[in-house]
Amino acid sequence: MALVQDSRHPFGRVLTAMVTPFDIAGGLDLKAAQELATYLVDEQGNDGLVVNGTTGESPTTSDLEKSELVAAVAEAVGDRAHVIAGVGTFDTAHSIHLAQQAQKAGAHATLVVTPYYSRPPQAGLLLHFRAVADACDLPVMLYDIPARSAAAIATETLLSLASHERIVAVKDAKGDLNSSGRVMAETDLAFYSGDDPLTLPMLAVGGSGVVGTSTHFTGRQTKQLVEAFERGDVATALALHQQLLPIYTGIFATQGTILVKAGLQLRGRGVGSVRPPLVEATEHEISHLLADLEASRV
């Protein structure tokens, strides 16, 4: 089946930043990854999956593991969902290598985060993003998350990057709807909320959807929210936003990967433990997660 693409929703409306399953020895579990990807697409209704992102513990996986994961997920769901490979690092040359590797492994697009830790100036961001976009034939989703990268992609930088033929979208976790709204008004970039609770506000200023974390559990309801808003049924969209708010926010009570993996275990879909420096969820955190899932009716 051919994947449907349009400029406003180049990767669909609802995507999940997928966790990476590990086996009992801590190694990559490709069978579990395919099963999780199938569940997220076929049962949770996700239009796309981001693999090898931060939620996928990319700082702890090797280049080989990243390639194998992309290939496994693409094999499982690549005919009915967009597979977007996280390739961003704080090293432009390494990011280029990962982008080229992801294309060979079967990814449909790349996610490129702002180079972190070294805090390059905006000129450096322009150079970095353009170099990665030039490195292969895949469309690019930029990832603007200054809370983690320590540097925001400035509005003028986004406006400039929008002219690149392969830079088509932004995963926006900046929390600045004024800036994002201006870029959406002046360019064709598709904006996906990178912060689950801001999905509806992002839609209200022109957003296309969400790359979520809680969508491991809320994918279908979140898609209903987006579709309700787009057909002008704001009341239904707002009701769903308010219903899902406990888990939209609660999934980040500690690092999101930790609680997603704990929640999947509770639901009988265990995907193994986290790799250090992450740690397992505490009993207190799990009890609150259960309450948030129940309150959100998912």
Side-chain angles (χ1 to χ4, degrees):
M1 180 180 69
L3 295 175
V4 176
Q5 289 186 306
D6 63 76
S7 59
R8 176 162 162 72
H9 309 96
F11 310 116
R13 292 167 173 80
V14 176
L15 298 85
T16 288
M18 195 181 93
V19 296
T20 299
F22 298 127
D23 60 28
I24 193 168
L28 186 63
D29 190 334
L30 294 176
K31 180 175 183 294
Q34 291 187 317
E35 291 173 350
L36 177 60
T38 299
Y39 161 73
L40 290 172
V41 172
D42 295 347
E43 297 187 40
Q44 284 295 336
N46 281 274
D47 302 310
L49 302 175
V50 173
V51 297
N52 296 328
T54 311
T55 303
E57 298 178 75
S58 60
T60 72
T61 56
S62 69
D63 288 4
L64 177 60
E65 288 176 320
K66 289 178 172 65
S67 179
E68 291 177 337
L69 183 62
V70 170
V73 172
E75 179 182 52
V77 300
D79 62 339
R80 57 194 188 278
H82 301 270
V83 178
I84 303 174
V87 302
T89 71
F90 51 25
D91 175 2
T92 302
H94 190 204
S95 299
I96 287 171
H97 166 73
L98 291 176
Q100 294 170 338
Q101 172 183 273
Q103 180 170 354
K104 291 177 183 177
H108 300 124
T110 61
L111 177 74
V112 187
V113 71
T114 310
Y116 40 89
Y117 188 70
S118 52
R119 298 184 68 180
Q122 295 299 310
L125 299 188
L126 283 168
L127 181 153
H128 178 84
F129 289 129
R130 286 170 175 161
V132 178
D134 287 339
C136 64
D137 299 326
L138 299 180
V140 173
M141 178 186 287
L142 306 175
Y143 188 8
D144 193 5
I145 182 166
R148 292 186 185 228
S149 67
I153 309 176
T155 300
E156 296 301 328
T157 302
L158 287 166
L159 293 173
S160 180
L161 290 168
S163 64
H164 194 292
E165 62 179 352
R166 280 189 289 279
I167 297 176
V168 301
V170 180
K171 179 183 177 184
D172 184 355
K174 183 157 55 182
D176 183 350
L177 293 178
N178 288 331
S179 171
S180 301
R182 180 186 165 198
V183 177
M184 282 181 261
E186 297 183 20
T187 76
D188 291 328
L189 287 174
F191 270 65
Y192 290 83
S193 176
D195 191 356
D196 299 20
L198 291 183
T199 301
L200 182 56
M202 182 71 72
L203 292 172
V205 296
S208 300
V210 60
V211 178
T213 302
S214 71
T215 45
H216 283 84
F217 312 103
T218 67
R220 286 206 174 278
Q221 295 90 339
T222 299
K223 181 176 277 189
Q224 290 169 7
L225 184 161
V226 176
E227 291 177 343
F229 183 87
E230 291 199 336
R231 67 173 179 265
D233 187 356
V234 178
T236 295
L238 179 58
L240 284 164
H241 166 80
Q242 292 173 339
Q243 173 191 324
L244 297 170
L245 201 54
I247 192 61
Y248 276 176
T249 57
I251 202 71
F252 302 112
T254 185
Q255 206 273 358
T257 307
I258 294 171
L259 290 183
V260 169
K261 285 194 167 182
L264 290 171
Q265 179 67 40
L266 292 170
R267 295 287 173 89
R269 296 186 179 277
V271 290
S273 61
V274 294
R275 285 180 174 174
L278 299 185
V279 295
E280 302 304 315
T282 66
E283 290 185 10
H284 177 73
E285 289 165 344
I286 291 172
S287 68
H288 279 276
L289 174 62
L290 281 168
D292 290 334
L293 288 167
E294 183 177 355
S296 297
R297 305 198 296 276
V298 294

